Each structure stands twice: as C-alpha cells, then as structure tokens.
Amino acid sequence: MAARDTRKVTISAIADLAGVSVPTVSRVLNGRSDVAPQTRERVEELLTRHGYQRRPSSVRTSSGLLDLVFNDLDSPWAVEIIRGVEDVAHAAGVGTVVSAIHRRTSSAQQWLDGMRRRGTEGVIFVTSMVEPPLQDELRRLGVALVVVDADGLPTREAPTIGAANWAGGLRATEYLIGLGHRRIGFIAGPPQLMCSRARMDGYRAALEAAGLAVDDDLVCPGDFYHEAGFSGGVRLLGLADPPTAIFASSDQMALGVYEAVRQRGLRVPDDISVVGFDDLPEVRWCSPPLTTVRQPLAEMGMLAARTVLRLAKGETVESPRVELATELVIRDSAAPLG
C-alpha cells in the first residue's frame, strides 16, 4: 500500500482482512495477553504490511469497566436494569459506570469524552438512539456495544436485547377481553421506542382477533411516566362512553390511572379494571395490587452485560436480536365486567 494511503487504514479494515473482530485488533494494539498467538501474529503482520499508524487515541489500556448509558435515570425500571448489569459485572470483576445523557447532544459528547479517558471496554445503551457517528467512534476505539430496547430501528452493527412486547400487549388485552370487557382503553408509550409500538400492536391484534373494532378515541399518547397515565385516565374516564378497562403500557402510567380513577370517585376494579406493563417491585404493594405484564428487566440487564463482555473478548454472539419472554401476572386490579 502506498504511503499516501496509510492514513486510510482503520482497525475495522484490519479486522476484516484478518477475519477477526474489531475488539480483537484493539487488544493486539493494546498489548493485551488474551489473544491467541496465531491470531496476534496474523494481526500484527497485517498492521505492519498496511502501515497502520498507531494514534494515541487508539492505544487504550484495559480498564476493567463497562459503561451503562440511559437517556434518563428517573424511573424504577432503570434500577432493575442496573441491578442486572451490576450482578454480572461484579461476578466478572468488572466495574460499572452509569450515565444519563438526557437526550442532549452536549451530554452525549461529554459522556463520550469521559469514556475515551476511562478506556471502557464495553458500552450498553438503554432506550437510546445510537447515532452512526457514535457507532463509528466506538468501532474505531474497539469498544463493544449492546443496545437494550432500541430507540428507533435497531442498528445492524450492535446486538439488541429486548422483551416480547408484542406478545405481552396481546396477552394483557386478551385477558381483559376474556373478563367480558369490550371497550378497552390504551395508554401508549413513547412512539419512537420499538417496545412501545410493539405493545400497541399487540393491543390492536387482540381486539381484531376478537372481532372488536379499534376505537381511536380509546387510545391515548403517553411517555411511560405517572403524569401521562393520569392525564390519559382523566381523558378516557371523561368520554361520553368511557372504557370499562384500561391497559396502560407501563406500570407507572397504570398508577397514574389509579389516581385519575380515585379523583373521579370511582374504584379499581369495581368500576374500572386496570392492567399495567413492567411488573415493577412496588406494584404488588399498591391498592389494589396491580395486574401487569412482567418483562424481565433485571434479566435483560444481565444478558446485555454477558453479551457485551463476550464481544469485548472478541467472541461472537449467536443472534443479533434477543427477546426475553413476558408473562401476565394476575393480581387484583382487573375483574369481570359487571
């Protein structure tokens, strides 16, 4: 390769030529010992042959750290994800750095600068959009990436972890239909999240399978937080022909519906049935205990951590997209119609 082209050589190109992962090339560059001798020799030969220029920003030492990045940290479900990641990281002797970027470009850049300094080996993004420039930078640095509950379409470059949201939405709505309810309200999650869309699609599929029309008046926008559940509950209960049951696509919104029901002088489930989604620890202690769809949040965090640690070691994963099963947890917030 001519000298004028050496600057174009990337870690990704060397990895493709060697038939190994980008993290493996990064470990060779960093002098790590966890690379097979034959692989190290092949990578070193390609680096020399193509005149790869070792830049200071690319020479990173192992820090024994994982970065766990959220948009926000103001929800109990985030704690469950953190708990799962930390369990796996602690067992592997790896530290965890938790950050919130608040959907701001400046915060994302600040996090990226800190991640470079820490020499993080793997990153887990939760309900966050991983923009192509950020993916490119992580690839250049040899940092493994996993996404939990992708914001928008999942990236082809990184494995994604999620739950069976469509099946959960279907099962919750089928349960209410089985109790005799025909007017079932739905409070949606953020429309950009694939998990939100899947839960709504499951709700619609259950109604259609039962021969029930999807009434757009019974569908409210939401954002997974209490306030959206409360406002959606107020609107639904104020309809001339209100629903007899409400399926909120998060537990926090379901608890917001509880307050809307209380302020109207009604009772759950005597006057209206309510079902949530998540199975957060506190919903078994509310009054009445909430019937909800359990998504295995801690298990999702554990699987994400195991996957990113495997990628950081240069291993491959069997599937780029994994969905863990959801299940309906029946408590006392839904009752037969009438």
Side-chain angles (χ1 to χ4, degrees):
M1 183 175 292
R4 64 180 179 276
D5 293 330
T6 59
R7 290 173 297 176
K8 298 180 181 179
V9 178
T10 64
I11 291 179
S12 180
I14 296 296
D16 288 341
L17 290 169
V20 299
S21 67
V22 170
T24 297
V25 177
S26 179
R27 286 197 296 277
V28 172
L29 286 168
N30 294 332
R32 293 266 296 270
S33 61
D34 53 344
V35 180
Q38 299 90 336
T39 301
R40 180 183 301 280
E41 183 178 347
R42 183 166 70 256
V43 171
E44 290 282 11
E45 190 273 330
L46 287 167
L47 289 168
T48 301
R49 183 197 311 170
H50 294 287
Y52 180 81
Q53 302 297 310
R54 303 185 185 225
R55 293 169 291 182
S57 60
S58 295
V59 179
R60 306 165 69 250
T61 58
S62 174
S63 61
L65 289 175
L66 293 181
D67 266 57
L68 178 57
V69 184
F70 295 85
N71 275 323
D72 298 289
L73 284 170
D74 53 357
S75 173
W77 64 261
V79 176
E80 294 298 298
I81 297 283
I82 293 170
R83 184 165 62 86
V85 171
E86 177 59 24
D87 282 350
V88 171
H90 179 75
V94 174
T96 305
V97 178
V98 180
S99 305
I101 58 176
H102 308 293
R103 298 178 173 83
R104 293 196 294 263
T105 302
S106 58
S107 296
Q109 185 60 52
Q110 184 179 25
W111 166 80
L112 182 59
D113 292 342
M115 187 274 298
R116 288 193 190 101
R117 291 192 298 270
R118 288 190 293 273
T120 298
E121 294 183 76
V123 177
I124 301 170
F125 276 93
V126 184
T127 63
S128 302
M129 175 65 78
V130 186
E131 299 289 351
L134 178 56
Q135 293 179 44
D136 292 342
E137 179 64 6
L138 293 176
R139 190 182 307 112
R140 187 182 72 80
L141 294 171
V143 177
L145 171 64
V146 171
V147 180
V148 176
D149 274 344
D151 182 341
L153 290 174
T155 171
R156 297 179 182 178
E157 301 295 328
T160 58
I161 310 295
N165 291 286
W166 183 88
L170 180 80
R171 181 70 185 94
T173 310
E174 285 179 336
Y175 177 67
L176 291 170
I177 293 171
L179 292 175
H181 298 281
R182 294 298 178 266
R183 286 186 62 75
I184 301 171
F186 179 76
I187 305 178
Q192 75 274 14
L193 294 182
M194 298 301 293
C195 60
S196 298
R197 299 181 203 174
R199 292 172 199 180
M200 178 179 283
D201 289 345
Y203 160 78
R204 292 177 176 273
L207 292 178
E208 292 169 357
L212 301 173
V214 178
D215 186 344
D216 289 338
D217 286 341
L218 296 180
V219 177
C220 295
D223 59 7
F224 288 161
Y225 293 100
H226 296 94
E227 294 81 3
F230 174 76
S231 60
V234 168
R235 187 178 83 74
L236 290 170
L237 294 172
L239 293 174
D241 185 11
T244 61
I246 296 176
F247 171 29
S249 54
S250 80
D251 285 350
Q252 288 185 280
M253 292 198 300
L255 296 181
V257 172
Y258 270 35
E259 179 60 15
V261 171
R262 186 194 69 81
Q263 290 192 15
R264 200 167 179 85
L266 303 175
R267 297 177 63 186
V268 176
D270 299 6
D271 302 300
I272 187 163
S273 293
V274 179
V275 174
F277 201 112
D278 283 329
D279 196 26
L280 297 175
E282 60 264 34
V283 300
R284 71 189 68 180
W285 302 108
C286 61
S287 182
L290 181 67
T291 292
T292 187
V293 177
R294 179 181 184 271
Q295 64 167 335
L297 294 166
E299 290 89 339
M300 289 161 62
M302 293 173 70
L303 180 57
R306 291 191 188 106
T307 302
V308 81
L309 287 173
R310 287 183 60 186
L311 292 172
K313 293 177 182 177
E315 301 176 11
T316 58
V317 294
E318 291 75 16
S319 173
R321 170 68 182 171
V322 177
E323 286 192 352
L324 301 184
T326 53
E327 66 173 310
L328 183 68
V329 180
I330 298 174
R331 297 193 180 99
D332 301 329
S333 64
L337 181 64

